[in-house]
Amino acid sequence: MRTRGHTARMAVSGALAAALGFSLAGCQSGSSDGQSPVPSASSPAASPSPAPRPPSSAGWNTDPDSIAAVGDSITRAFDACGPLADCPQASWSTGTDPGVDSLAGRLLDRPARDSRNLAESGATVSDLPGQMSRAAAREPGLVTVLIGSNDACRPSVGTMTPVAAFRADFEQALETLWEESPESQVYVASIPDLTRLWEVGRDEADARRVWEFGICPSMLRAPRSTVEAAVARREQVSSRAEAYNSALREVCTKDRRCRWDGGAVHDYRFTADALSHWDWFHPSRDGQGELAEMAYARITRR
């Protein structure tokens, strides 16, 4: 017999199609606070970014006094608490849910006052400079970055963000932050393993049903298909995400104000318990807690 929870999840599948079809297939997001976004480096109208400033001579501070989070729906904890909604209180970075034990909760005495979640559901790396501008205005001690899933999760492999554009937008985002707030440190999380996501959900009937509504179609369309074209498509998405992670690592590690997670998030072998069972894509509360733990370990390492 199907449980009530199962029935409820299936009842919102149609609504998920509308909401997730744009936010997870890689739609461009707008500013969440009414400000105009900063032009991205991949925009034809944008000029090349200047080289980042020389790194600060100070060492890495393992005890920042404030945190700003930028990124996409993972950091907004979309679908972590219920269907079709952000749940920022459960965010790995700035959340206040004690069950998650967020990074802010671990590092700050007053996390609700001294942290700000500026991430946007549906964001791609082209949205990051605008988010960084809003973060810089607060002069945070630490900015957390988790971005890139929506750049790989597109309607087709041909519409994935080019690697050069991805790198340029990330470089511009860091320059935007440090131009206005030169002492802010940055923690950069790697993009989760999208192939692992497919492996965990492909044999789950509920996952396959909800994925049919357009969740990360470049990777998750026809999840049980073993035809050559489907296998090649998944390999292309995986390869592109790895290239994005290489760009994030190479840019971040040039400056001592930036710490790369060492690939920890990408290498994390999560299970179904770490995924929201509303969409089988976003982290559950358990998954958010795992992200917080990995971030804390890296940020506080001396």
Side-chain angles (χ1 to χ4, degrees):
M1 179 180 294
R2 294 186 176 185
T3 66
R4 180 173 298 179
H6 174 98
T7 303
R9 286 193 292 272
M10 290 303 98
V12 299
S13 292
L16 279 166
L20 300 181
F22 71 82
S23 68
L24 300 183
C27 160
Q28 301 292 325
S29 68
S31 170
S32 62
D33 58 6
Q35 299 181 37
S36 298
V38 173
S40 72
S42 57
S43 168
S47 58
S49 299
R53 290 182 176 186
S56 168
S57 59
W60 179 266
N61 179 12
T62 61
D63 189 27
D65 60 5
S66 57
I67 296 174
V70 298
D72 55 30
S73 53
I74 295 177
T75 300
R76 293 296 296 174
F78 188 84
D79 272 3
C81 305
L84 308 176
D86 291 344
C87 187
Q89 65 267 29
S91 172
W92 67 273
S93 179
T94 59
T96 55
D97 184 338
V100 171
D101 195 13
S102 73
L103 184 63
R106 298 167 192 241
L107 290 175
L108 305 178
D109 291 333
R110 292 171 289 191
R113 192 198 74 169
D114 295 331
S115 65
R116 181 75 180 272
N117 194 326
L118 301 171
E120 299 166 295
S121 289
T124 63
V125 72
S126 66
D127 297 298
L128 205 59
Q131 293 182 19
M132 280 294 202
S133 179
R134 294 188 286 279
R138 303 179 64 85
E139 298 185 339
L142 176 71
V143 178
T144 66
V145 180
L146 203 174
I147 196 74
S149 292
N150 286 330
D151 292 274
C153 286
R154 306 298 293 177
S156 67
V157 294
T159 55
M160 293 188 295
T161 303
V163 177
F166 186 95
R167 177 189 294 268
D169 280 327
F170 181 56
E171 288 176 333
Q172 183 182 339
L174 292 183
E175 174 62 24
T176 297
L177 172 68
W178 287 330
E179 185 67 30
E180 300 180 44
S181 185
E183 298 306 314
S184 292
Q185 298 182 152
V186 181
Y187 163 76
V188 180
S190 49
I191 301 166
D193 187 348
L194 298 176
T195 300
R196 177 63 179 171
L197 180 69
W198 166 72
E199 290 172 346
V200 170
R202 62 181 171 178
D203 292 327
E204 297 284 348
D206 284 356
R208 294 197 304 274
R209 288 189 189 98
V210 74
W211 288 353
E212 288 177 357
F213 294 113
I215 297 178
C216 196
S218 54
M219 173 60 77
L220 303 178
R221 183 172 65 250
R224 302 186 89 177
S225 176
T226 58
V227 300
E228 184 177 351
V231 172
R233 167 172 50 79
R234 295 183 201 114
E235 290 176 349
Q236 285 180 274
V237 176
S238 179
S239 177
R240 183 62 58 90
E242 290 177 4
Y244 294 158
N245 276 332
S246 293
L248 293 171
R249 172 181 54 80
E250 290 164 6
V251 173
C252 177
T253 55
K254 289 179 181 179
D255 196 302
R256 65 173 60 97
R257 292 169 292 185
C258 188
R259 273 201 179 180
W260 168 243
D261 78 345
V265 172
H266 180 268
D267 294 342
Y268 171 49
R269 303 296 288 173
F270 56 85
T271 65
D273 288 340
L275 296 176
S276 165
H277 287 191
W278 292 107
D279 61 23
W280 290 82
F281 180 89
H282 290 94
S284 63
R285 279 189 173 92
D286 287 348
Q288 292 284 340
E290 293 291 343
L291 291 172
E293 176 64 32
M294 287 182 274
Y296 180 77
R298 181 64 174 166
I299 290 165
T300 58
R301 193 180 75 178
R302 296 184 182 275

